[in-house]
Amino acid sequence: MPVSDSLNAKLASGGRKSGSPFLLIAAALLILAAVAGAAFLLSRPAVLRIAVGPAGSEDQKVIQSLAQEFITEGTPVRLTVVSTAGPVESLGLLAAGEVDLAVGRADEDMPKGAGSVAILRKNVVVLWAPSGAPRKSGKKESKSKIKEIAELDGKRVGVLGRTAVNVTLLKLILSESGLNPDKVAISRFPVSQVTEMVKDPSIDAFMTVGPLDSKITTDAIVTTARLRGEPAFLAIDVSEALAHKHPLYESEEIPGSSFTTSPARPDDTVDTVGVNHLIVATKKLSDTKAGAFTRALFNVRPALVKQDPAASKIEKPDTDKDAAIPAHPGAAAFIDGTERTFLDKYSDYIWGVVLLLSVLGSATAGFRHYMKRDERSLTGEHRDKLLAHIAQVRKTNSLEELDALQEEADEFLRETLEGYDDGAIDEGDLSAYGLVLEQFHHAVADRRAVIGGGAAGLPRVRAS
């Protein structure tokens, strides 16, 4: 194809040469791989470490069952259970950042910024005093000498469990009830020494803190009735005032027959104080992971109860921001139904990336335009020279000079087309150049006719 005819081909095609199909396929595969990789990373289960203890406790059994249920149900969360000596160590690991979650009582020393993810169970304080002699067949039942908390003044109370917060709670109850805690002796016993505690004649009353269906509490009450007479349950009449002053605690009731039904123990409702046992996390755990754990927990809870009835005590935490231990923001978002979708969370970043790419694209185009300025300038010079050549053609009487001008015009066209292919000039510039070139060819053809050389064999470009 003659050089001059290639301009028509460029204009007729309506654009530059398209990119290689292999490059398009490669780009598509790259995008597909990026999307697949992102989907794979997002679909991988989050693995969270949870501290709970002591070994063999009801808390640990529930958490281990939960971890297994997460695997069975294929939830997007997996649990690694870290066994500890008890809540104090568990919360210490959480504070040190060695675990993501921990099980502990609300009145324990919580890490800074800790938030509840779930209520594992509710504990209640049970206070009772023995009657002094076991009930025997055919004899009248002995009555307890201590019938209310005020009568504990100068007495000794046996507290079941080595947890120091139980003693702190007892002193708080005594103080709110108008007693001097220093005048009430307190002895602590491990749960393995229930019989030894009950048999100790120096102990005037007993206290446990646990769920209503606690086997430990029930065994201690039954042992008391067997060895030291029918127990009298001591009501905490100041429970509401105590809960108001100390928000970590709640006013609760022990329904009649909670521990045994025949005979009924207690025989009527008893006012008491409650404290929650929680699954907690710090703000180091992202809202996304905390929300995913909470969602998975309550989704599998019905199936978990069938495996472990203790899981029926699991409840959603208080999402009130004024709560003593507020819910973790991620858990609160799930419970309140305010979780943000993927686009809600990352739309700002997505639009930011789009804007950045747009700016970079514009900057790149501008830079390229700047770098091609010499080619654009050269095209303008060629156009001006062609205009001058048109005037020169009309004056010449030499066919040799016409041939020379034609060759120079062909070279101008070749350089112009190269500039178009490089993106230095656009279609508008190319069309303008084409009009000038067409007039040049007309002038050459007309001048050849005048000179007598004819116009045969010369390429001509006609405007469409």
Side-chain angles (χ1 to χ4, degrees):
M1 178 186 292
V3 176
S4 58
D5 288 347
S6 60
L7 179 61
N8 271 341
K10 291 288 184 182
L11 292 173
S13 66
R16 298 181 178 85
K17 185 187 295 185
S18 61
S20 169
F22 295 105
L23 292 177
L24 295 177
I25 293 173
L29 290 175
L30 182 62
I31 294 173
L32 181 62
V35 171
F40 173 75
L41 291 176
L42 291 174
S43 63
R44 291 180 63 187
V47 180
L48 304 178
R49 291 168 57 84
I50 181 168
V52 59
S57 64
E58 194 68 45
D59 291 345
Q60 191 176 78
K61 291 177 182 177
V62 171
I63 296 301
Q64 288 174 336
S65 297
L66 178 63
Q68 183 58 48
E69 199 63 35
F70 278 178
I71 296 173
T72 302
E73 295 293 330
T75 66
V77 178
R78 297 290 185 272
L79 288 180
T80 298
V81 181
V82 179
S83 183
T84 65
V88 174
E89 183 182 352
S90 297
L91 295 173
L93 292 177
L94 181 64
E98 297 183 23
V99 295
D100 305 294
L101 302 160
V103 175
R105 224 169 77 177
D107 54 350
E108 297 277 4
D109 187 14
M110 287 286 169
K112 184 178 179 180
S116 60
V117 177
I119 298 173
L120 191 61
R121 56 184 166 86
K122 287 183 176 291
N123 300 316
V124 294
V125 175
V126 184
L127 275 167
W128 73 95
S131 61
R135 182 172 62 179
K136 296 182 180 180
S137 177
K139 292 188 176 182
K140 188 177 180 181
E141 179 183 343
S142 299
K143 298 294 184 180
S144 172
K145 297 178 181 179
I146 300 175
K147 297 180 180 180
E148 56 185 32
I149 290 179
E151 295 175 353
L152 291 176
D153 190 29
K155 301 295 192 296
R156 180 180 295 274
V157 179
V159 177
L160 196 59
R162 290 293 189 182
T163 307
V165 288
N166 284 348
V167 174
T168 302
L169 178 53
L170 175 58
K171 290 182 177 180
L172 188 62
I173 292 170
L174 294 173
S175 178
E176 289 295 330
S177 299
L179 298 180
N180 183 350
D182 295 334
K183 293 185 178 182
V184 178
I186 300 173
S187 299
R188 286 192 289 173
F189 293 84
V191 294
S192 59
Q193 295 182 1
V194 171
T195 302
E196 288 81 351
M197 179 184 73
V198 174
K199 282 183 176 181
D200 189 337
S202 67
I203 305 296
D204 302 292
F206 310 101
M207 171 182 165
T208 62
V209 182
L212 279 174
D213 61 352
S214 169
K215 185 177 183 303
I216 295 172
T217 300
T218 300
D219 288 348
I221 291 170
V222 171
T223 302
T224 300
R226 179 169 54 85
L227 298 178
R228 295 185 60 181
E230 195 63 27
F233 293 90
L234 310 182
I236 304 175
D237 297 326
V238 294
S239 59
E240 290 188 4
L242 189 150
H244 181 73
K245 293 180 182 178
H246 307 277
L248 289 174
Y249 302 106
E250 299 175 358
S251 177
E252 299 286 350
E253 290 183 343
I254 302 174
S257 303
S258 292
F259 307 115
T260 63
T261 56
S262 182
R265 298 185 180 113
D267 58 4
D268 199 0
T269 300
V270 178
D271 292 331
T272 188
V273 172
V275 58
N276 290 330
H277 221 67
L278 307 170
I279 300 176
V280 295
T282 63
K283 293 181 180 179
K284 293 180 181 178
L285 183 64
S286 69
D287 293 355
T288 301
K289 289 183 178 180
F293 171 81
T294 310
R295 184 187 309 105
L297 169 60
F298 288 101
N299 284 344
V300 305
R301 182 178 177 274
L304 184 62
V305 171
K306 296 178 181 178
Q307 303 296 327
D308 189 342
S312 62
K313 303 182 185 73
I314 297 176
E315 298 179 17
K316 294 176 181 178
D318 185 359
T319 59
D320 191 338
K321 293 182 179 180
D322 295 331
I325 300 179
H328 188 286
F334 164 73
I335 295 167
D336 294 338
T338 58
E339 280 186 299
R340 301 173 68 193
T341 64
F342 179 85
L343 288 178
D344 291 334
K345 294 177 183 177
Y346 302 108
S347 59
D348 291 343
Y349 298 102
I350 292 173
W351 285 114
V353 170
V354 171
L355 180 61
L356 178 60
L357 291 176
S358 176
V359 171
L360 289 176
S362 299
T364 301
F367 179 73
R368 185 178 181 184
H369 193 72
Y370 174 77
M371 294 301 294
K372 299 291 184 179
R373 66 188 185 282
D374 291 339
E375 292 186 49
R376 294 196 308 277
S377 176
L378 184 61
T379 300
E381 292 176 7
H382 289 342
R383 187 177 63 246
D384 293 340
K385 287 180 181 180
L386 279 178
L387 288 172
H389 285 356
I390 291 173
Q392 188 176 350
V393 165
R394 290 170 179 167
K395 297 177 181 179
T396 185
N397 292 314
S398 169
L399 292 176
E400 289 78 7
E401 186 177 357
L402 287 178
D403 291 339
L405 290 174
Q406 181 68 65
E407 290 179 2
E408 189 174 0
D410 290 343
E411 183 62 29
F412 290 168
L413 177 59
R414 184 177 295 104
E415 292 179 359
T416 299
L417 292 177
E418 289 175 353
Y420 176 76
D421 289 336
D422 290 343
I425 63 174
D426 56 24
E427 291 185 10
D429 293 332
L430 189 63
S431 297
Y433 183 83
L435 290 175
V436 176
L437 182 62
E438 183 180 13
Q439 294 303 314
F440 172 77
H441 284 161
H442 282 309
V444 170
D446 293 342
R447 194 59 185 169
R448 283 183 185 278
V450 171
I451 294 174
L458 288 179
R460 294 171 65 87
V461 177
R462 293 295 181 183
S464 52

